Amino acid sequence: EAQVTQNPRYLITVTGKKLTVTCSQNMNHEYMSWYRQDPGLGLRQIYYSMNVEVTDKGDVPEGYKVSRKEKRNFPLILESPSPNQTSLYFCASTQNGRNTEAFFGQGTRLTVV
Amino acid sequence: LAKTTQPISMDSYEGQEVNITCSHNNIATNDYITWYQQFPSQGPRFIIQGYKTKVTNEVASLFIPADRKSSTLSLPRVSLSDTAVYYCLVGGTNAGKSTFGDGTTLTVKP
């Protein structure tokens, strides 16, 4: 089954404690992306990747890092989480650079206290 | 990236046809128009995509006029389970650089 898998689904952490949210896709897609979603602000793109070792900033990259060492994985790293990063996070993937549909993961609800 | 404008909310009743319009005045020549559906606490799900004229699939139709500055998502005979937020996305890749608009919250009533 084609899917994008995020882990964990829920996470509560404390300010400053580094964390990683994993994202994996099994469709051999080239493009992957991270979004955060907050009430009243819709989906905002954090980072995206066009292929292995190629990443670029989205609209709200501050406080986040990403890496793309393998085609299937695109982890989101919060080096020093802060309460304003409490949000619902989604990972997505697309087959290639043309206009194809994006597949989204089920989301990770992060709370930073 | 083309900015999109959609109505914030719409109400409908079961069995009715619903049309949601998205404005995208600055759409580029190579841009496609894609619509997604999102239920609370779930990831968006692809509904339909088009470039011009009309596209139809098993769940919706997408109407795009010749100037491509707007598009209309048509949902035939909606049910309660169609209550969701609908996003119009215009751009190159759907997981490359992309900007979602605010979306339209559709509420279907019995």
Side-chain angles (χ1 to χ4, degrees), chain A residues 2 19 35 54 69-70 85 112:
Chain A
L19 66 92
Y35 295 86
V54 184
K69 292 182 169 48
E70 305 166 280
Q85 292 179 298
V112 184

Side-chain angles (χ1 to χ4, degrees), chain A residues 31-33 35 37 43 45 48 57-59 88 90 93-94 96-102 104-106 109, chain B residues 30-32 34 36 38 41-46 49 87 91-102:
Chain A
Y31 282 68
M32 297 185 74
S33 185
Y35 295 86
Q37 187 168 37
L43 283 154
Q45 191 176 46
Y48 64 100
K57 297 177 180 178
D59 296 319
L88 179 59
F90 291 103
S93 73
T94 296
N96 51 40
R98 294 186 293 276
N99 292 281
T100 54
E101 69 176 278
F104 283 80
Q106 285 297 94
R109 188 169 293 281
Chain B
N30 295 329
D31 286 345
Y32 277 64
T34 313
Y36 289 85
Q38 186 182 28
S41 298
Q42 293 186 26
R45 186 178 68 174
F46 173 88
Q49 183 181 74
Y87 292 97
T93 67
N94 283 199
K97 178 66 174 170
S98 56
T99 300
F100 279 80
D102 293 333

Side-chain angles (χ1 to χ4, degrees), chain A:
Chain A
E1 179 189 355
Q3 58 185 4
V4 176
T5 304
Q6 297 178 225
N7 279 297
R9 293 288 311 279
Y10 302 90
L11 178 61
I12 301 174
T13 189
V14 296
T15 299
K17 185 177 181 181
K18 180 179 179 180
L19 66 92
T20 299
V21 183
T22 64
C23 175
S24 180
Q25 49 94 3
N26 63 359
M27 296 165 280
N28 201 37
H29 284 174
E30 292 182 0
Y31 282 68
M32 297 185 74
S33 185
W34 276 103
Y35 295 86
R36 64 177 288 175
Q37 187 168 37
D38 304 288
L41 294 176
L43 283 154
R44 295 182 292 168
Q45 191 176 46
I46 303 171
Y47 270 95
Y48 64 100
S49 170
M50 295 77 84
N51 213 322
V52 174
E53 303 291 4
V54 184
T55 63
D56 205 349
K57 297 177 180 178
D59 296 319
V60 289
E62 295 78 20
Y64 304 93
K65 285 176 57 177
V66 292
S67 69
R68 188 91 180 275
K69 292 182 169 48
E70 305 166 280
K71 198 171 186 179
R72 64 182 294 126
N73 296 322
F74 190 43
L76 179 69
I77 303 156
L78 284 73
E79 294 272 3
S80 183
S82 62
N84 64 13
Q85 292 179 298
T86 292
S87 187
L88 179 59
Y89 291 87
F90 291 103
C91 179
S93 73
T94 296
Q95 182 177 10
N96 51 40
R98 294 186 293 276
N99 292 281
T100 54
E101 69 176 278
F103 292 80
F104 283 80
Q106 285 297 94
T108 296
R109 188 169 293 281
L110 172 66
T111 302
V112 184
V113 298

Side-chain angles (χ1 to χ4, degrees), chain B residues 53-74:
Chain B
T53 63
K54 177 183 175 182
V55 179
T56 297
N57 62 22
E58 62 275 10
V59 298
S61 295
L62 179 59
F63 298 92
I64 305 169
D67 65 7
R68 304 199 329 119
K69 293 184 183 298
S70 66
S71 58
T72 298
L73 173 72
S74 181

